[in-house]
Amino acid sequence: MLKSIELPDCIYASKPITIPPSSPTPNHSLYLSNIDDQKFLRFSIKYLYLFKKSVNLETLKSSLGRVLVDYYPLAGRLRTSSVDDHKLEVDCNGEGVLFAEAFIDTTAQELIESSKVPNKSWKRFLYSVEAQSFLDVPPLVVQVTSLRCGGMILCTAFNHCLCDGIGTSQFLHAWAQLTTNSQSKLTILPFHFRHVLKPAQPPQVKFTHPAYTTSNPPTTPQVDLLNFMQSQPLVPTSFTFDPTHVHLIKKHCAPSLKCTTFEALAAHTWRSWVKSLNRNLNLPPTLIMKLLFSVNIRSKVNLPQGYYGNGFLLACAESSLNDLVAANLHHGVKVVQGAKERMNDKDYIRSTVDLLEDKTVKTDLSTSLVISQWSRLGLEEVDFGEGKALQMGPLTSDIYCLFLPDVGGDVNSVRVLVSVPESMVESFQYHMNGSWGIEEIIVDVENGFSSC
């Protein structure tokens, strides 16, 4: 097994600065929807881009100030609502984005080599904000780290309560567009207001929503998966599936079943995860296992173009352990498809939004694997004028499973990145490879362009 390469310290020539919008912006409170305001989303989405050639820092800062005129809520600060202390809102005060500049004595090639195994020192590419609470961290933090070879690392942390993956990609493309041409008009203008996802009054919860539970746990839980997950180090594992591998997986959905690449890989990953858990814990065969995965609802409820807030909900596939680990993938794919289909119902989506008005409701993570799909967001296409990134990915990978683009590889390939407890690694690798014949999947255990 490859050893982690310890990187040198980043050198900061000066303290981070705050970059405000370059011209006056509206000053008001921005309502956050019930989807934005979930406690499940109270963290930052952290992206890391490795570019072969640096972009002029003054140009980057200038274009950042310019794009913040359009995306002014990202220059504000989160706070508790004055009306409801269980709810958050954005104080659009134009305070600005935290921007750090650094240098590290290494090269792009050395960084690519060091990314082959997990590396805790990669976290230094994002400035660590000293804050009393989550609310005190600016909604957007940026660090640009220059490399000895003339390349650069761009690392960003977006507060998930303000935007989702589509929204962050929209912002990064807008910033890149203005960096390349400061006089251009944004291709997509942001839509800020979240009232389009306000709940009914009174809330109308017309369906059951298995992705969520109340704050009161069962008195006699069947199994304490959370305790198991926290009892040992989490090890990131990465598997790259090209179209040939996906075709082989789909063949194991017999009897014949048409499915998408996402449906096949989601079911395969979920099933492999459950099998590996079962080997460690000898779980009850009747235990209900869940797969939660993000579904874009923008077109389903007609959200305006440019809506960059959280426009997704978690679909929930559920199955008894025994049914899920049966001889082929047919059952797993079918329940994934059923969960997706429910998200086509506008009334079901509205019912979910209304359900989340109850702040005792939370995402059910008790027996769940969570998948977030980044492979269709266009993140890898971001270009600040000196070429697309050599690599891009999450800075950390210990929150949920990610489906990522294979940067530099086949455009139709998908990289699956998921952290599992140390004792699960060998079993999970075996099941993800498939004892039935996928022998050439690019598998990097303790890998993924991330640190953990």
Side-chain angles (χ1 to χ4, degrees), residues 103-128:
F103 171 80
I104 190 169
D105 189 18
T106 189
T107 67
Q109 187 56 45
E110 289 168 347
L111 287 173
I112 291 173
E113 286 298 313
S114 74
S115 73
K116 292 180 179 179
V117 292
N119 198 320
K120 291 183 179 180
S121 61
W122 280 69
K123 288 185 177 181
R124 67 191 56 174
F125 288 124
L126 182 64
Y127 184 80
S128 179

Side-chain angles (χ1 to χ4, degrees), residues 224-266:
D224 192 350
L225 285 186
L226 184 60
N227 183 59
F228 171 68
M229 293 293 185
Q230 295 176 341
S231 67
Q232 53 189 287
L234 289 176
V235 178
T237 62
S238 176
F239 307 82
T240 301
F241 296 85
D242 68 19
T244 301
H245 303 136
V246 173
H247 176 70
L248 286 172
I249 290 173
K250 288 182 178 181
K251 285 177 64 177
H252 286 266
C253 295
S256 181
L257 177 67
K258 290 184 178 180
C259 60
T260 66
T261 293
F262 173 80
E263 291 162 358
L265 285 183

Side-chain angles (χ1 to χ4, degrees), residues 63-185:
S63 59
L64 179 57
R66 170 61 188 84
V67 78
L68 287 173
V69 175
D70 293 285
Y71 287 86
Y72 66 88
L74 285 169
R77 294 295 182 266
L78 274 176
R79 67 184 180 191
T80 302
S81 169
S82 58
V83 178
D84 181 354
D85 58 8
H86 293 291
K87 191 163 184 61
L88 300 180
E89 63 185 18
V90 183
D91 179 13
C92 298
N93 57 16
E95 190 169 333
V97 165
L98 194 69
F99 189 96
E101 300 175 34
F103 171 80
I104 190 169
D105 189 18
T106 189
T107 67
Q109 187 56 45
E110 289 168 347
L111 287 173
I112 291 173
E113 286 298 313
S114 74
S115 73
K116 292 180 179 179
V117 292
N119 198 320
K120 291 183 179 180
S121 61
W122 280 69
K123 288 185 177 181
R124 67 191 56 174
F125 288 124
L126 182 64
Y127 184 80
S128 179
V129 180
E130 293 185 9
Q132 294 294 318
S133 73
F134 171 77
L135 298 182
D136 297 322
V137 179
L140 177 56
V141 177
V142 176
Q143 178 171 320
V144 177
T145 307
S146 300
L147 309 177
R148 181 182 356 120
C149 64
M152 77 173 189
I153 290 280
L154 173 66
C155 204
T156 57
F158 292 88
N159 188 304
H160 209 330
C161 292
L162 270 73
C163 43
D164 60 10
I166 291 174
T168 57
S169 180
Q170 182 179 304
F171 174 87
L172 288 168
H173 278 280
W175 183 14
Q177 179 183 340
L178 293 177
T179 304
T180 304
N181 181 356
S182 62
Q183 302 304 312
S184 66
K185 294 184 178 180

